[in-house]
Amino acid sequence: MRTIPLMALMVIVFICIGDSTGCADENPGFEVAAATTQIEHPGHIRQLLINQYKKWAKTPYRSGGMSRRGVDCSGLVRMIFSHQFGIELPRTVKYQARMGQKISKENIQPGNLLFFKTGARSRHVGIYLGNNEFLHASAKMGVIVSSLKNPYWAPRLWKIIKLK
């Protein structure tokens, strides 16, 4: 696993065993595994995430997708954290939302996970980039960067998770 420097915070990671479909809320079954990774400086994390965006940009949305032929929101988050930071996250939004520590919008940093309530039972996840922007897989537009000030996303922000 790659060691990465920011404030020497430890990350407790759940490793997802098995697969389920992207943003759905199925129970994939998972076990707890401890992984220690130091998080990098926020400016460096932003640049790493922008580089990931450049690789994934225009990838179409596909429910349950885990490749550049098609990816869903939780699949994108899982792939980026695995490949860029060596952090294994659960496969679904439901279980990703149970990770780390909930933080306030005032304490948001690049690399934090953003969760949105997009319907009565549907959820969405993205990765905060800084400057009120986040990277995510949109069902209509594929992998894009959106603004937290967007009138669609702003009122739907549910919680922010800091992996620790």
Side-chain angles (χ1 to χ4, degrees):
M1 182 175 337
R2 186 174 154 186
T3 303
I4 317 171
L6 164 91
M7 299 183 213
L9 298 173
M10 303 306 280
V11 178
I12 300 297
V13 178
F14 289 97
I15 297 179
C16 179
I17 305 299
D19 190 43
S20 68
T21 60
C23 293
D25 283 344
E26 292 87 24
N27 181 357
F30 58 89
E31 1 178 289
V32 177
T36 58
T37 302
Q38 295 177 341
I39 309 282
E40 295 187 36
H41 183 274
H44 187 68
I45 290 174
R46 177 178 168 77
Q47 189 57 54
L48 291 172
L49 292 169
I50 289 170
N51 292 344
Q52 285 294 307
Y53 168 66
K54 290 175 183 176
K55 292 178 183 178
W56 286 93
K58 300 182 182 175
T59 299
Y61 180 88
R62 183 171 60 107
S63 182
M66 292 281 291
S67 74
R68 288 195 181 88
R69 289 182 291 140
V71 68
D72 63 21
C73 64
S74 60
L76 177 68
V77 168
R78 185 171 197 254
M79 299 291 285
I80 288 174
F81 272 80
S82 177
H83 292 123
Q84 186 62 63
F85 303 113
I87 299 172
E88 296 299 321
L89 295 175
R91 178 61 182 92
T92 67
V93 172
K94 178 179 181 177
Y95 291 100
Q96 288 176 0
R98 295 179 181 178
M99 302 289 296
Q101 172 189 4
K102 186 175 178 180
I103 61 170
S104 68
K105 194 170 180 181
E106 294 76 34
N107 294 317
I108 195 169
Q109 295 287 321
N112 292 154
L113 300 181
L114 305 176
F115 295 90
F116 301 88
K117 288 186 177 180
T118 55
R121 298 185 65 181
S122 58
R123 304 292 182 261
H124 186 71
V125 63
I127 306 169
Y128 188 67
L129 296 175
N131 300 327
N132 283 307
E133 296 177 322
F134 66 102
L135 169 61
H136 64 117
S138 162
K140 292 181 181 177
M141 300 172 62
V143 177
I144 59 170
V145 171
S146 294
S147 173
L148 279 174
K149 294 180 180 181
N150 178 296
Y152 178 81
W153 294 112
R156 289 172 173 82
L157 184 61
W158 167 41
K159 69 183 193 178
I160 303 166
I161 297 294
K162 171 183 174 181
L163 296 176
K164 62 173 191 166

